Amino acid sequence: MKFSLSWLREHLETTATLDEITATLNTIGLEVEGVENPAAALAAFRTARIIEATQHPNADRLRVCQVDAGEGFGRVQVVCGAPNARTGLHVIFAPPGTFIPASGITIKAGKLRGETSGGMLCSLRELGIGEEDSGIAELPEGTATGQSYPLFAGLDDPVIDIAITPNRGDALAVRGIARDLAAAGLGTLRPWRPGTVESRFESPITWRITYPEACPWVLGRAIRGVRNGPSPDWLKRRLESIGLRPVSALVDITNFFTFDLGRPLHVFDADRIMGGELTICRGAGETFTALDGSEHVMTPDDCVIADGRGVQSLAGIMGGAGSGVSDTTTTVFVECALFDPVAIALAGRRHNLHSDARQRFERGVDQALPPAALEAVTRMILDLCGGEAGSVVSAGAEPAWQRQAHLDFARLETIGGLVEEPDHAVHLLEGLGFTVRECDACHVVVDVPPWRNDIATPMLLDQQADLPPARAQTAAEGAVALDPEVDLIEEVLRLRGLDSVPAVSLPVGNAVPLPAFTPRQSRIASLRRQLAAGGLLETVGFSFVAMEQAAEFGETPPELHLLNPIAADLDQMRPTPLVNLLAAVRGNVARGYPDLGLFEVGPAFGPEGQVLVAAGIRSGHSPRLPGQAARPVDLWQVKADALSALAAAGAAMEGLSMTPDAPAFYHPGRSGVIRQGPKLVLGHFGQLHPALLATRGIDVPVCAFMLYPDAVPEPKRKRKAPPALSAFQPLRRDFAFVVAADVPAEKLLRAVRGAERNLIVAANLFDVYEGDKIPAGHRSLGVEITLQPMDGTLTDAEIEAVCERVLAAAQKSCNAVLRG
């Protein structure tokens, strides 16, 4: 919400400085986001007078002017190209060193076509405050020279920008802000009485309401004989100061009251209204063209204003182009209505329409103001545009906004933490417009003013479904009783100054703080750290991807296709983050950076809904190390990435198995699925399919993995025993087994591990050999086992016994024989 200091002083009688006003606004909860003074950028410009203007001896279109720039400059010679530069003219002078806002240049003294020039004579456009550029600005006759031009022109009017919380609709008005400052002791609120404008004729237009849920009350007034045109300078300056572009007097008047009183209004061209009646009703599929030129199809939930021709306004949000006023308008009909905040908010979101009117209606406006506001806008239209006013017509009735709130003075300290004298608390509330109904030493009951829609309003509790009915009713009654009182406490506290409320630490519920993360959050954090420690860079990608790319990684059901995508190539919810990671690889490969390691933990979407996925990708070659050549990335690297991440997420590694049935976007012979048990899939890994890479022009090896962290079973909660640490060193033995080529290495490792569970703590594959020294259809698998004795050093006989059991288990499970 922006407003100028002079505009604020129209409602607030105060001697406070700008700094005092902004400091008070901050302490009462109207946070100042910025202060801009237009005069600051124009401080160097000053008034001057052309003493003599003669033709430039070397240029037909230039004149040499002798300028009186006042004290400190005296007589200055300026070369000027403006056609209206003449002797005796009062002008705006920019001395050397002045920055020109419109052109972005800084004036320097120099020569133009052989004649010295010690400054510049300016137009209003060059100062950034006008549109005329046909010549230099002409100041009134008799203007004293040497004055600061911003002060002379009345531009020294700072503009304050404050942040408004959603509950403070009343602060979207200059008068509402002035009321708050006056209540805080920074001046006196000036009285505002619009008076009554006499009616000269019967209104040719009437109202009818068929949608009272969205509009309970509407007033209107016809004014004929008006002359629409440019607004007076004071009104233009008011609107321009807050960033609004003046349009015409009739439009500018309604914009003025939107900000001055927080009262949105709309003017129709009465001659363009068909049928003599305006109806506030539901939409019925009509196409409506708004004033900004956008077209919208009305729905039955939209509140519209229609005449005999159709929809003329999306009520409370924006008027229509078909009945808007123009320079030829001679009769207007002014609309002043109350609209339901929820209906306005939902309609604005449906049609993506934003306006100052919507901003105020959806936060709540003064429910008793429409009659006075209509009189005020009528008076201004008559003053600025002429004409005569007709009778006021209305439909519906003023809603029953009257309500009360009570305050127990003791709660100012127990709830608000601030000791306050009862009389002063009542005085602060009265300054905000609350009227005292009852008051004693302990409490006060007040009537809430109509502009405070955030105080003592009906509330709707979203209670837990399984809450016992008696408890739910007690909680609801308590909330209804306490909420208005808390509202009043907040008002007293903020007017005293929010920074005066003492800081109090929250009570400590437990001596030992509760966990900050859930087990799931901890798992995800550990998984991220593990992947990053493995050399992968974390990325964050869009959940929207191109449907053609998504189809290569999974299903693309119609319900996951976007009807209104933010871009043509982002029209499908991604089935896996691998779509984004592969796109990143492609972009880097195209730019000469093929060696990548990336991962993302984010959502994936499929027929079963949204799931969390940890996906990673490696491309190109591994880094070159001393004594080692760079080697292409392979599935063993991404398998190691996947397993280390699952271990960090708490998966039971000894229960994992690998199967070859990976998704189709992997290479069919160089990929695998990670399972826990026969059915639970924790992820998959492998080299991406060559055809998938070829379509993207990627000519380097690329391997990837996908994990489902939420599928990792929760660890069983049991009391942890102290770790069993052996005093004896482990020992290792290597075996080379010959097995059929179709026997999975995982099956052999599982058999070896189970041969002697009390001693064998690990079994790892270290070699795979297929060649002429192995029978056809077979291969050799090198397995290393680790034995960890606990009770004593193993004898040769005990070691040989374990080795025999390993050979027997391998023979039984996989028909494996020891390689000769």
Side-chain angles (χ1 to χ4, degrees):
M1 171 66 185
K2 290 185 177 182
F3 57 93
S4 64
L5 184 60
S6 64
W7 198 343
L8 177 68
R9 294 187 188 277
E10 292 291 327
H11 292 279
L12 181 68
E13 185 175 349
T14 182
T15 58
T17 64
L18 175 64
D19 290 341
E20 291 172 334
I21 290 174
T22 55
T24 303
L25 287 170
N26 281 323
T27 60
I28 64 176
L30 300 177
E31 181 182 359
V32 177
E33 294 195 315
V35 178
E36 181 182 353
N37 190 350
L42 306 177
F45 295 90
R46 54 198 292 128
T47 60
R49 178 175 174 271
I50 299 177
I51 302 172
E52 181 183 13
T54 60
Q55 182 65 41
H56 193 293
N58 302 318
D60 294 339
R61 297 187 179 183
L62 297 179
R63 298 180 69 79
V64 179
C65 302
Q66 305 300 320
V67 178
D68 177 11
E71 184 178 355
F73 288 89
R75 185 171 179 140
V76 181
Q77 179 170 298
V78 179
V79 177
C80 179
N84 61 332
R86 61 184 183 274
T87 301
L89 182 65
H90 290 268
V91 293
I92 303 172
F93 172 65
T98 302
F99 178 77
I100 307 298
S103 60
I105 64 173
T106 300
I107 299 301
K108 297 180 181 179
K111 288 187 176 182
L112 290 177
R113 304 293 293 273
E115 294 291 330
T116 61
S117 181
M120 177 179 179
L121 305 182
C122 305
S123 67
L124 293 180
R125 186 187 65 83
E126 288 166 329
L127 271 66
I129 58 175
E131 297 297 331
E132 296 182 13
D133 59 355
S134 58
I136 57 178
E138 300 186 13
L139 302 184
E141 186 69 30
T143 299
T145 61
Q147 299 182 75
S148 168
Y149 176 73
L151 296 178
F152 164 78
L155 298 176
D156 188 20
D157 189 11
V159 176
I160 304 170
D161 186 7
I162 63 174
I164 302 297
T165 54
N167 64 313
R168 290 299 308 277
D170 63 299
L172 287 170
V174 178
R175 185 164 183 82
I177 298 168
R179 184 186 296 111
D180 267 20
L181 290 171
L186 210 65
T188 304
L189 186 67
R190 297 181 187 273
W192 182 77
R193 299 181 182 87
T196 302
V197 177
E198 182 182 357
S199 301
R200 299 297 183 89
F201 60 93
E202 290 297 320
S203 175
I205 299 172
T206 59
W207 285 111
R208 183 164 65 97
I209 298 176
T210 63
Y211 193 4
E213 298 87 355
C215 178
W217 191 26
V218 63
L219 294 84
R221 190 173 210 169
I223 304 174
R224 65 189 182 191
V226 299
R227 298 179 303 279
N228 194 19
S231 297
D233 290 341
W234 71 265
L235 182 52
K236 288 182 179 179
R237 285 197 297 270
R238 281 278 188 267
L239 300 180
E240 288 172 342
S241 69
I242 60 175
L244 291 183
R245 180 179 62 85
V247 178
S248 66
L250 290 172
V251 176
D252 295 347
I253 289 170
T254 61
N255 288 337
F256 171 80
F257 282 107
T258 298
F259 286 85
D260 188 64
L261 301 178
R263 177 62 251 182
L265 301 151
H266 184 64
V267 285
F268 296 91
D269 188 328
D271 295 331
R272 301 172 73 179
I273 295 175
M274 181 178 294
E277 181 181 70
L278 288 174
T279 303
I280 298 179
C281 57
R282 294 178 180 271
E286 309 96 330
T287 298
F288 163 71
T289 303
L291 283 171
D292 63 359
S294 60
E295 290 191 352
H296 307 270
V297 177
M298 299 296 97
T299 73
D301 292 326
D302 294 326
C303 181
V304 303
I305 301 177
D307 66 356
R309 212 172 20 180
V311 175
Q312 300 301 326
S313 174
L314 182 53
I317 299 178
M318 190 172 291
S323 59
V325 297
S326 65
D327 291 342
T328 61
T329 297
T330 58
T331 303
V332 296
F333 186 72
V334 185
E335 167 244 309
C336 184
L338 284 180
F339 297 106
D340 177 69
V342 175
I344 294 298
L346 294 178
R349 293 175 189 176
R350 271 193 300 273
H351 299 286
N352 194 27
L353 274 176
H354 302 273
S355 66
D356 295 320
R358 171 191 166 183
Q359 185 184 29
R360 285 154 179 79
F361 277 125
E362 67 184 7
R363 285 164 174 78
V365 297
D366 188 335
Q367 299 182 71
L369 185 62
L374 188 59
E375 296 292 345
V377 71
T378 301
R379 172 54 60 196
M380 186 174 287
I381 290 176
L382 296 180
D383 290 344
L384 301 185
C385 303
E388 56 181 4
S391 59
V392 176
V393 292
S394 65
E398 180 178 347
W401 54 264
Q402 295 82 359
R403 56 197 185 279
Q404 297 177 0
H406 75 282
L407 171 61
D408 186 337
F409 297 127
R411 291 185 182 270
L412 286 169
E413 181 178 4
T414 58
I415 294 180
L418 190 66
V419 177
E420 180 61 87
E421 291 295 328
D423 290 344
H424 189 236
V426 172
H427 172 72
L428 294 176
L429 293 175
E430 287 179 324
L432 292 173
F434 294 89
T435 305
V436 176
R437 179 175 289 269
E438 301 175 14
C439 185
D440 57 30
C442 297
H443 75 285
V444 64
V445 178
V446 296
D447 290 327
V448 180
W451 54 80
R452 290 308 298 267
N453 293 282
D454 58 320
I455 305 292
T457 53
M459 61 188 306
L460 179 63
L461 289 181
D462 185 12
Q463 294 181 317
Q464 190 172 338
D466 58 353
L467 200 65
R471 186 176 179 184
Q473 182 178 355
T474 301
E477 292 172 354
V480 170
L482 184 61
D483 188 65
E485 186 173 23
V486 172
D487 290 338
L488 296 185
I489 292 173
E490 179 185 355
E491 295 303 301
V492 174
L493 292 183
R494 71 180 186 85
L495 291 182
R496 274 288 304 273
L498 295 176
D499 52 358
S500 66
V501 180
V504 179
S505 299
L506 291 173
V508 178
N510 298 281
V512 178
L514 297 175
F517 296 113
T518 65
R520 176 181 181 273
Q521 291 172 325
S522 297
R523 285 203 310 270
I524 300 304
S526 298
L527 182 147
R528 277 195 168 98
R529 284 195 297 269
Q530 180 60 44
L531 292 176
L536 301 179
L537 297 177
E538 184 171 11
T539 68
V540 178
F542 268 135
S543 292
F544 311 137
V545 297
M547 185 173 66
E548 295 78 10
Q549 297 178 3
E552 295 177 318
F553 284 89
E555 297 183 49
T556 56
E559 59 268 23
L560 296 179
H561 185 70
L562 303 180
L563 299 179
N564 186 25
I566 59 176
D569 58 346
L570 299 175
D571 58 349
Q572 184 74 27
M573 305 299 288
R574 68 182 184 185
T576 168
L578 286 179
V579 183
N580 308 77
L581 296 177
L582 189 58
V585 168
R586 177 187 182 187
N588 280 274
V589 168
R591 290 163 177 80
Y593 296 95
D595 304 332
L596 288 176
L598 308 173
F599 80 95
E600 179 180 351
V601 180
F605 305 87
E608 69 283 356
Q610 176 178 326
V611 294
L612 183 69
V613 169
I617 198 166
R618 289 187 182 272
S619 66
H621 293 72
S622 62
R624 295 175 61 187
L625 299 175
Q628 298 181 18
R631 60 187 181 88
V633 298
D634 54 36
L635 76 158
W636 307 115
Q637 290 176 274
V638 293
K639 179 183 179 182
D641 291 330
L643 292 179
S644 64
L646 287 174
M653 303 304 292
E654 64 278 1
L656 300 186
S657 61
M658 311 295 160
T659 59
D661 51 334
F665 53 83
Y666 288 110
H667 192 297
R670 302 175 185 175
S671 57
V673 176
I674 307 173
R675 298 177 181 270
Q676 184 168 344
K679 295 183 179 180
L680 182 59
V681 175
L682 299 185
H684 35 77
F685 64 92
Q687 181 178 327
L688 292 184
H689 201 288
L692 182 65
L693 301 180
T695 60
R696 288 163 171 77
I698 300 175
D699 56 358
V700 297
V702 180
C703 297
F705 66 87
M706 274 179 57
L707 304 175
Y708 305 103
D710 289 341
V712 176
E714 290 281 349
K716 295 181 179 179
R717 298 186 178 274
K718 58 182 179 179
R719 181 174 298 177
K720 290 185 177 180
L725 301 177
S726 176
F728 305 97
Q729 290 189 352
L731 63 141
R732 297 175 176 83
R733 289 290 185 270
D734 293 345
F735 299 85
F737 294 102
V738 177
V739 297
D742 59 350
V743 174
E746 184 67 33
K747 184 178 180 181
L748 177 63
L749 292 174
R750 193 178 305 113
V752 170
R753 287 193 204 104
E756 179 54 71
R757 296 186 180 276
N758 293 329
L759 287 176
I760 299 177
V761 295
N764 299 308
L765 180 71
F766 69 85
D767 181 58
V768 178
Y769 173 74
E770 296 178 354
D772 55 1
K773 294 181 172 44
I774 302 297
H778 290 71
R779 59 178 176 170
S780 172
L781 301 180
V783 177
E784 176 194 67
I785 67 170
T786 302
L787 304 178
Q788 179 62 67
M790 301 297 293
D791 301 325
T793 302
L794 296 176
T795 65
D796 289 344
E798 290 173 328
I799 297 173
E800 289 299 325
V802 172
C803 292
E804 291 297 332
R805 286 194 288 272
V806 168
L807 294 175
Q811 168 66 30
K812 181 179 179 180
S813 175
C814 304
N815 198 26
V817 296
L818 200 61
R819 180 179 172 186

